[in-house]
């Protein structure tokens, strides 16, 4: 197809609306393979924005490509759990089979192989994205067969379907997911109550946001409901389905099998705060869910549960659009997410104003997690008293937990808040003694094997819903090093402490890994952690030092055994770096070494 036709079709599909820029770029790239300079120019003209502004958005997101990526772009999930399952060796095997280097397009322009941050498949890795389609459970045999298909330029549609199978692995259900749900029942109950009473019901239920911070949902909604509207404005409901925290995949399961609960929760939120517009911000890694979610939205429109005159009520108008992200973890932060929804680079905004008063296009906006909306739906259906009776005093209801790593049954488990880590791990089948558990991904908490009696709730260990389990054979230093690189990669670069601090963290960890670390470096790491926590602009920077600080505190021998004994050692050992040159020239004499006099 003519590239200009492709671009113009994407522009027309999105009404030449610059706020839909991300979708225009994505749809264009999906057909053309990359975003050439002339493509950017054409899109900029099409939306009436300066070219530099369009290019800035395209350059910000790791899933948009301003250089060719070949016919096959293969991105391996670099989550520590994928690594533990052998992802690095498999990627290397693929590179060797295709005769290419990671991160470089093959000379014939056929394939590009590299890593990407976690893709939300921690329970069925090693996993990768092939042209942004998810592939799970990779093995050496699959890699060899895949290399053959690539060499033969076989279209993805002809690849074995089971390679693309993503399982829910829902191992335990509870009050949220244990019962069938009839679309429309919760919405009807909310309508019967009225918006004020529905808001009071959410407050009485004690619902707190499931994204990790645990902010009371009713308070956020009240602030948005109270925010004045300017002429032509509406309030906006946003479902944060950016689930980018490594080790977390429970929202993926909700969206795949319980989308009605989520969409109906959003519609109840719209009814409660008086919103007419809704978005699901779906992470780019979950591209494979897009068509099914669109179909569910369409069915709900046909059922009178979305669109104009919902439930046959005049004036009850609300609809939901899906906005696909493009591989930027920082977009999980609500103001960065809103920037992205507006077609811009996803950099966190300065606050105030807060999104509840000035969010999407300056309109009052609530941003809630996928699971929060599912809870809203059940509260509307079954009442606040039912919900408040589950869990603990400060953490009502249940929690979905993504369990991965060294367990026999990785997957999603629903438990009432207050459950102990040990109980969850017992259900998941711990294979060996537990050395450590990372709760809530890299930005969360590291527990030792002695702390498994601790409870998952806001009173003890808060969690956004991930448990990554490391048995006694694992190296907790390498776990922290993986996390340090994750943050260095995902920092948006807006503020200096985070942009520089996360890089220094990663380099110090590499230095220690290379056996060149010293006690001085171990003192430097907590200093950096305090600096980041105190000066960074958003939550990413605040928590970037967490995993290093926690593992250094709780697993110090994993660091100590790598150290040189001196107080300070330089990061670069020139003599060691010259060893390859000595080998090639056959020299081992004294003059070929850098020896201190
Ligand atoms: S803390 Fe990091 S991610 Fe957050 S705004 Fe600053 S540079 Fe960006």
């Amino acid at each position: 197809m003519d590239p200009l036709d492709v671009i113009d079709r994407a522009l027309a599909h999105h009404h030449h609306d610059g706020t839909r820029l991300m979708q225009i770029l994505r749809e264009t790239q999906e057909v053309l393979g990359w975003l050439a300079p002339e493509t950017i120019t054409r899109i900029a003209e099409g939306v009436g924005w300066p070219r530099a502004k369009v290019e800035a958005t395209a350059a910000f997101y790791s899933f948009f490509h301003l250089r060719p990526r070949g016919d096959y772009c293969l991105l391996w999930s670099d989550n520590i759990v994928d690594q533990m399952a052998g992802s690095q060796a498999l990627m290397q095997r693929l590179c060797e089979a295709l005769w290419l280097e990671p991160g470089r397009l093959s000379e014939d322009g056929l394939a590009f192989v590299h890593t990407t941050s976690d893709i939300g498949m921690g329970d069925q890795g090693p996993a990768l994205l092939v042209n942004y389609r998810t592939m799970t459970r990779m093995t050496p045999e699959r890699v060899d067969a895949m290399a053959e298909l690539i060499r033969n330029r076989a279209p993805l549609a002809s690849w074995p379907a089971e390679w693309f199978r993503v399982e829910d692995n829902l191992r335990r259900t509870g009050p949220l997911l244990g019962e069938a749900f009839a679309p429309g029942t919760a919405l009807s109950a909310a309508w019967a109550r009225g918006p004020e009473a529905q808001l009071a019901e959410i407050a009485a239920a004690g619902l707190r946001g499931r994204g990790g911070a645990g902010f009371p949902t009713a308070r956020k909604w009240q602030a948005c409901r109270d925010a004045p509207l300017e002429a032509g404005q509406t309030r906006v409901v946003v479902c944060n389905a950016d689930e980018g925290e490594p080790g977390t995949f429970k929202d993926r399961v909700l969206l795949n099998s319980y989308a009605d609960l989520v969409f109906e929760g959003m519609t109840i939120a719209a009814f409660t705060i008086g919103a007419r517009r809704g978005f699901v911000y779906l992470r780019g890694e979950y591209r494979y869910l897009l068509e099914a979610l669109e179909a569910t939205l369409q069915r709900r429109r046909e059922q009178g549960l979305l669109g104009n005159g919902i439930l046959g009520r005049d004036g009850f108008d609300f609809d939901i659009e899906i906005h696909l992200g493009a591989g930027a973890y920082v977009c999980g932060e609500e103001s960065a997410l809103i920037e992205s929804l507006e077609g811009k680079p996803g950099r966190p905004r300065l606050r105030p104003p807060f999104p509840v008063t000035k969010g999407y296009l300056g309109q009052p906006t609530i941003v809630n997690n996928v699971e929060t909306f599912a809870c809203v739906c059940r509260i509307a259906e079954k009442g606040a008293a039912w919900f408040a009776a589950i869990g603990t005093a400060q953490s009502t209801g249940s929690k979905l937990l993504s369990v991965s790593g060294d367990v026999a049954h990785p997957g999603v488990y629903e438990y009432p808040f207050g459950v102990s880590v040990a109980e969850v791990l017992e259900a998941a089948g711990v294979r060996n003694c537990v050395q450590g558990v990372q709760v809530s991904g890299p930005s969360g908490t590291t527990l030792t094997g002695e702390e498994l009696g601790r409870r998952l709730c806001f009173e003890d260990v808060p969690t956004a819903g991930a448990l990554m389990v490391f048995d006694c054979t694992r190296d907790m230093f390498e776990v922290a090093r993986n996390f340090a690189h994750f943050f260095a990669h995902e920092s948006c670069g807006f503020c200096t402490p985070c942009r520089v601090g996360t890089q220094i963290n990663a380099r110090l960890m590499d230095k220690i890994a290379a056996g060149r670390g010293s006690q001085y470096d171990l003192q430097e790491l907590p200093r950096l952690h305090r600096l980041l926590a105190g000066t960074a602009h958003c939550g990413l920077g605040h928590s970037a030092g967490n995993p290093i600080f926690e593992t250094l505190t709780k697993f110090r021998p994993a660091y100590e055994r790598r150290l040189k004994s001196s107080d300070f050692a330089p990061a670069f050992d020139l003599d060691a770096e010259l060893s390859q040159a000595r080998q090639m020239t056959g020299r081992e004499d004294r003059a070929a070494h850098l020896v201190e006099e």
Side-chain angles (χ1 to χ4, degrees), residues 330 348 490-495 498-499 536-542:
V330 70
E490 295 297 340
S491 168
C492 82
F494 171 77
C495 58
C498 174
R499 183 179 65 246
H537 172 58
C538 84
L540 187 152
H542 295 157

Side-chain angles (χ1 to χ4, degrees), residues 78-80 83 88 438 442 446 470 475-489 502-515 525 544-549 551-552 558-559 562:
D78 206 28
N79 177 356
I80 182 70
Q83 284 191 7
Q88 289 177 322
Q438 187 69 24
T446 315
F470 304 103
D475 184 342
M476 294 306 288
F477 170 83
E478 283 300 336
V479 172
R481 189 158 80 100
N482 175 279
F483 294 162
H485 279 276
F486 167 75
F487 284 119
H489 182 259
T502 52
Q503 290 293 340
I504 297 176
N505 263 341
R507 283 182 200 177
L508 279 178
M509 294 296 278
D510 286 348
K511 180 183 172 190
I512 295 167
L525 288 168
N546 281 359
I548 297 174
F549 182 73
T551 49
L552 185 57
Y559 288 72
R562 291 183 156 83

Side-chain angles (χ1 to χ4, degrees), residues 194-421:
E196 291 84 8
Q198 181 55 43
L199 186 60
E201 203 73 13
I202 300 291
L207 178 63
R208 298 172 69 159
R210 275 13 188 191
F215 192 80
T217 304
R219 220 190 302 162
K220 183 184 274 188
W221 289 16
Q222 181 78 59
C224 188
R225 195 176 138 83
D226 293 344
L229 288 181
E230 291 170 19
Q233 286 193 332
T234 179
R235 297 189 176 84
V236 182
V237 174
V238 179
C239 174
N240 183 348
D242 194 51
E243 195 166 52
E245 193 72 41
T248 312
F249 44 81
K250 47 99 185 167
D251 291 345
R252 180 197 87 209
V253 175
L254 276 174
L255 292 165
N256 187 46
S257 298
Y258 299 86
D260 271 305
L261 272 185
V262 179
F263 293 150
E264 190 142 332
M266 291 178 70
T267 314
I268 292 166
F271 169 68
T272 309
I273 66 168
R276 296 165 65 95
R277 195 154 187 202
F279 292 98
V280 173
Y281 188 100
L282 182 67
R283 67 186 309 223
E285 289 82 348
Y286 293 168
R287 164 71 185 82
Y288 74 100
L289 289 172
L290 183 63
E291 280 79 16
L293 290 172
E294 297 277 19
T296 304
L297 287 175
Q298 186 54 30
R299 172 179 44 79
R300 290 183 66 84
R301 285 182 199 111
E302 287 158 12
Q303 291 173 325
L305 301 174
L306 277 178
N308 291 336
I310 293 172
L311 295 175
R313 295 348 196 248
D314 272 353
F316 185 8
D317 306 336
F318 176 70
D319 212 333
I320 297 171
E321 293 169 48
I322 299 177
H323 175 108
L324 205 64
Y329 166 77
V330 70
C331 287
E333 198 275 345
E334 63 177 6
S335 67
L337 184 152
I338 290 169
E339 287 282 294
S340 183
L341 273 181
E342 294 178 357
K344 294 182 268 182
R347 294 205 177 87
R349 291 178 176 173
L350 295 168
R351 295 182 291 181
F354 291 92
V356 284
T357 53
K358 288 210 178 305
Y360 176 69
L361 299 178
Q363 303 172 106
T365 303
I366 55 165
V367 182
N368 283 113
N369 178 259
V370 177
E371 189 182 343
T372 312
F373 285 117
C375 293
V376 163
C377 192
R378 287 298 194 193
I379 292 167
E381 183 192 16
K382 292 167 176 280
W386 167 83
F387 192 84
I390 305 161
T392 68
Q394 291 173 40
S395 317
T396 56
S398 62
K399 187 78 196 82
L400 298 181
L401 303 166
S402 319
V403 184
S404 63
D406 291 316
V407 290
H409 312 293
V412 175
Y413 294 75
E414 182 184 355
Y415 275 97
F417 265 120
V419 66
S420 71
V421 177

Side-chain angles (χ1 to χ4, degrees), residues 80-211:
I80 182 70
V81 170
D82 282 279
Q83 284 191 7
M84 282 157 44
S87 63
Q88 289 177 322
L90 291 174
M91 183 175 90
Q92 199 53 43
R93 188 183 183 108
L94 180 65
C95 287
E96 283 165 18
L98 295 173
W99 286 75
L100 53 76
E101 274 180 54
R104 291 187 65 174
L105 180 64
S106 60
E107 283 184 15
D108 56 2
L110 180 65
F112 175 86
V113 179
H114 206 8
T115 54
T116 184
S117 298
D118 173 61
I119 65 168
M121 300 291 152
D123 57 333
Q124 48 206 303
L128 78 160
L129 299 172
V130 182
N131 292 354
Y132 298 101
R133 287 191 60 192
T134 304
M135 291 178 65
T136 58
R137 301 185 190 286
M138 292 308 292
T139 60
E141 295 72 33
R142 282 191 179 185
V143 165
D144 295 345
M146 186 164 71
E148 187 68 21
L149 287 167
I150 292 171
R151 279 194 298 263
N152 292 331
R153 298 178 185 266
L156 251 55
S158 69
W159 291 22
E162 71 264 23
W163 292 2
F164 299 97
R165 193 165 64 228
V166 177
E167 286 159 10
D168 276 357
N169 289 329
L170 181 57
R171 310 279 186 188
R172 186 184 197 275
T173 59
L176 187 64
L177 304 183
E179 274 184 38
F181 173 69
T185 49
L187 196 50
S188 300
W191 179 272
R193 269 186 207 107
E196 291 84 8
Q198 181 55 43
L199 186 60
E201 203 73 13
I202 300 291
L207 178 63
R208 298 172 69 159
R210 275 13 188 191

